[in-house]
């Protein structure tokens, strides 16, 4: 059902019980339109675009370098701290280990995979196209 | 987490522009300040050091400074130096002492005050750190839970490290703390202000840790990893 609120529904119709949701939507739309008309004079084009302005946010060195929270316990000295460490220290440690173990990096995998896709693509092409020989581009033509 | 890239060695007063941002936001760490002449596009360097960048939008300066400069969100170790009413003054190693409200502990009310005395050691988070104002500490997170913050017990030892070593040790990839943990049980709190609180069963173990840090201070990260691998 294509809902089109451009059609003005009568006041009496909107008051009816089954029109509750529609009434809310109509009211919201009217409010939005009113608000926009009110403030459109004050908001300039420059404010809307503000090209290239950057909002700077201060952060701790731990956020920058991805450091762990400093309270650590080893060998069961403080069970409570060790439990809290699970989600922070141990997770970051395992992630780092995993990254080291991976003998094929994600980027390499993506590259390899795309060549496999290419070769398989060739296989499903009609024979005529498949056997096309590579032609050396003429040297007189510009490269780009 | 994406890798850290080094951009350039910069001196205080130099201007950094062509900044990358994500949704027009850029995160700046220690050593950088907004450039007053062009506040919305460039930064000014306040410390000599290497400018580092981590994608998508984080910049900071890695320097070999010894003086701790407070930064919002830092987790630090402080010593209570003065009590006055509802607020205690805490020495965190910066130019100015920080203030800590007794109500910013988990479950603290007017009747249920935490037992804070002069000389106590607290592990706290910096709520505000502005160059014109005194730093303010809290011992709770945004959900009013203490987590690992709070007063540290009296049976530990406080030692001073340098800032670079503290940052190296807090990197989860550094195996030094884990390797020590295999030898004997211990609990450690390291603040980014270059202080460490150590608790172990024997005084001997505490001394071992202190000596290890003393040696690690002058070693590169590579040689620390190598030494840890050999002691396995």
């Amino acid at each position: 059902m294509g809902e089109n609120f451009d059609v003005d529904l009568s006041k009496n119709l909107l008051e009816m019980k089954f029109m509750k949701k529609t009434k809310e939507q109509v009211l919201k739309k009217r409010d939005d339109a009113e608000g926009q008309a009110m403030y459109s004079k004050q908001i300039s084009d420059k404010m809307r675009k503000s090209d290239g302005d950057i909002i700077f946010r201060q952060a701790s060195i731990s956020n920058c370098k991805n450091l762990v929270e400093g309270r650590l316990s080893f060998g069961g000295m403080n069970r409570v701290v060790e439990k809290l460490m699970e989600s922070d220290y141990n997770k970051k440690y395992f992630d780092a280990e995993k990254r080291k173990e991976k003998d094929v990096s994600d980027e390499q995998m993506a590259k390899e995979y795309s060549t496999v896709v290419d070769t398989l693509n060739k296989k499903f092409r009609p024979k005529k196209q498949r056997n096309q020989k590579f032609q050396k581009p003429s040297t007189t033509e510009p490269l780009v | 987490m994406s890798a850290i890239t080094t951009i350039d060695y910069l001196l205080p007063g130099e201007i950094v522009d062509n900044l990358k941002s994500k949704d027009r936001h850029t995160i700046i760490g220690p050593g950088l300040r907004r450039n007053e002449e062009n506040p919305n596009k460039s930064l000014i360097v306040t410390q000599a050091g290497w400018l580092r960048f981590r994608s998508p939008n984080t910049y900071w300066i890695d320097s070999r400074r010894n003086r701790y400069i407070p930064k919002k969100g830092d987790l630090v170790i402080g010593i209570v130096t003065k009590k006055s009413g509802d607020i205690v003054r805490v020495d965190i190693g910066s130019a100015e002492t920080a203030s800590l409200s007794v109500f910013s502990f988990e479950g603290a009310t007017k009747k249920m005050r935490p037992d804070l005395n002069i000389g106590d050691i607290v592990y706290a988070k910096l709520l505000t750190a502005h160059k014109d104002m005194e730093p303010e500490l809290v011992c709770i997170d945004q959900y009013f839970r203490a987590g690992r913050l709070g007063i540290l017990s009296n049976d530990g030892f406080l030692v001073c490290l340098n800032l670079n070593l503290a940052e190296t040790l807090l990197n989860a990839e550094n195996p030094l703390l884990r390797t020590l943990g295999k030898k004997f049980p211990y609990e450690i709190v390291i603040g980014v202000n270059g202080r460490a609180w150590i608790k172990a069963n024997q005084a001997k173990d505490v001394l071992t840790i202190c000596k290890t840090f003393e040696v690690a201070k002058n070693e590169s990260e590579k040689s620390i990893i190598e030494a840890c691998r050999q002691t396995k």
Side-chain angles (χ1 to χ4, degrees), chain A residues 47-78 80-82 84-85 87-89 92-93 96-97 99-100, chain B residues 1 19 24-30 34 39-43 54 58 60 62 71-75 123 147-148 152 167 170-173 177-178 181 185-190 192 199-201:
Chain A
M47 277 161 83
R48 215 170 281 146
K49 274 184 194 163
S50 65
D51 52 320
D53 279 5
I54 301 171
I55 300 155
F56 293 112
R57 272 192 300 159
Q58 305 274 339
S60 161
I61 185 77
S62 357
N63 296 98
C64 298
K65 282 191 174 180
N66 193 25
L67 303 178
V68 292
E69 205 173 304
R71 191 165 193 176
L72 306 164
S73 163
F74 297 93
M77 192 72 187
N78 190 336
V80 182
V81 169
E82 261 171 53
L84 290 167
M85 264 166 68
S87 61
D88 183 33
Y89 183 82
K92 276 178 186 164
Y93 167 49
E97 288 293 296
R99 233 180 300 142
K100 265 184 228 159
Chain B
M1 276 291 165
L19 296 160
R24 298 227 302 271
H25 279 267
T26 294
I27 297 165
I28 52 172
R34 279 176 74 179
N40 294 324
K41 273 169 195 163
S42 64
L43 293 168
R54 205 180 69 202
T58 315
W60 74 95
D62 235 355
K71 197 89 186 171
K72 191 184 169 183
D74 277 352
L75 294 163
Y123 184 50
R148 284 177 273 178
L152 302 175
E167 278 161 24
L170 286 173
N171 189 350
E173 288 174 41
L177 296 175
R178 282 191 293 276
Y186 71 98
E187 190 185 349
I188 192 166
V189 186
I190 303 168
V192 284
K199 183 186 166 188
N201 289 331

Side-chain angles (χ1 to χ4, degrees), chain B residues 74-76 99-101 103-105 122-128 136-142 149-150:
Chain B
D74 277 352
L75 294 163
V76 294
S99 68
L100 170 65
S101 166
F103 303 121
S104 62
F105 285 84
V122 286
Y123 184 50
K125 190 175 202 164
L126 272 162
L127 186 69
T128 56
E136 193 187 339
L137 297 168
V138 285
C139 283
I140 39 173
D141 60 7
Q142 66 262 49
L149 304 171

